[in-house]
Amino acid sequence: MDSLEKRIAKEGRVLPGNVLKVDSFLNHQIDPFLCMDMGKELARIFSDVHIDRVLTVEASGIAIGLAAAYALQVPLVFAKKRKSLLMTDEVYTAPVYSYTKKETNTISVLTQFLPAGENVLIVDDFLANGEASLGLASLVEQAGSRVAGIGIAVDKAFQNGHERILKAGYRLESLAVITSLEGGRVTFQEGHEC
Ligand code: 5GP
């Protein structure tokens, strides 16, 4: 997606550890126009499959998740990272090692918000080692539903996640595919069409 790649090229900052900081439009301040356009684009890409709901994980997945769910006209559910006293009912859970925080969280969703027999689109802001996406896929499968696909805003395809998701047999669609952050420079996949 050209507008996203241009924005990354202009405002993205590469931090040590292959972390791309996009705080000015996605992860801290959010550009609502770009975000809604990303949601529309994901809805267009997945328009060939039926989708019942969108699933993401708090906190940074919520903006793009909401944009995608709005465009698809379906509910958005976000997995919680910390157990809340409010979550007294039954939950599906999965362990997820956080790439940026270097800690394992148990993500959870109330079973009532992940019914069986649905097609669920997983959406997240970044793909690194695939922990978050695969954890979300596990929640969908525990619920007895099907992963319709995984939609990512920024896919750091040189890390493990891209390969792991494809190997696991999921459909992966990414709006911006980065092949290298070496030397503090962002390199996008050549000829990537969105
Ligand atoms: P994964 O679970 O695929 O290893 O990492 C994806 C998750 O970690 C995303 O939900 C995102 O919040 C965070 N993340 C991973 N890499 C980056 C990055 O380079 N920049 C930012 N801002 N977040 C990242």
Side-chain angles (χ1 to χ4, degrees):
M1 186 176 166
D2 209 42
S3 53
L4 175 60
E5 290 187 4
K6 281 198 175 116
R7 204 64 184 269
I8 293 169
K10 188 164 167 245
E11 295 173 33
R13 296 285 169 269
V14 180
L15 303 184
N18 281 326
V19 172
L20 178 66
K21 196 171 174 185
V22 287
D23 274 13
S24 60
F25 62 92
L26 189 58
N27 287 145
H28 196 2
Q29 173 170 263
I30 294 173
D31 178 335
F33 301 101
L34 177 62
C35 198
M36 294 312 279
D37 283 350
M38 289 195 289
K40 255 188 240 160
E41 183 61 6
L42 286 175
R44 188 192 66 75
I45 292 168
F46 284 100
S47 60
D48 60 327
V49 285
H50 175 76
I51 290 164
D52 295 295
R53 80 183 55 221
V54 173
L55 176 67
T56 188
V57 59
E58 66 177 358
S60 56
I62 294 177
I64 181 163
L66 178 65
Y70 183 78
L72 288 161
Q73 300 280 288
V74 297
L76 167 70
V77 180
F78 62 92
K80 306 227 178 188
K81 280 183 181 158
R82 300 212 189 286
K83 211 169 172 345
S84 158
L85 289 176
L86 295 174
M87 293 181 89
T88 51
D89 300 326
E90 276 192 37
V91 289
Y92 299 116
T93 63
V96 167
Y97 180 76
S98 164
Y99 184 79
T100 48
K101 301 207 169 79
K102 309 284 179 223
E103 63 183 25
T104 300
N105 294 302
T106 299
I107 61 166
S108 57
V109 169
L110 285 176
T111 56
Q112 72 185 104
F113 298 129
L114 219 41
E118 288 194 345
N119 285 324
V120 180
L121 176 64
I122 291 169
V123 169
D124 204 5
D125 60 339
F126 271 86
L127 177 61
N129 290 320
E131 286 284 307
S133 295
L134 291 169
L136 291 167
S138 160
L139 299 182
V140 171
E141 283 158 7
Q142 286 173 50
S145 282
R146 190 182 152 269
V147 176
I150 297 178
I152 299 287
V154 187
D155 177 353
K156 296 187 292 178
F158 59 92
Q159 296 187 285
N160 289 333
H162 191 98
E163 193 75 9
R164 284 177 79 192
I165 285 173
L166 295 181
K167 264 203 185 135
Y170 298 116
R171 174 177 174 189
L172 172 64
E173 302 281 359
S174 312
L175 300 180
V177 179
I178 292 175
T179 55
S180 163
L181 291 175
E182 254 171 65
R185 281 173 51 94
V186 182
T187 308
F188 294 103
Q189 186 174 71
E190 262 182 83
H192 180 240
E193 291 181 347
C194 295

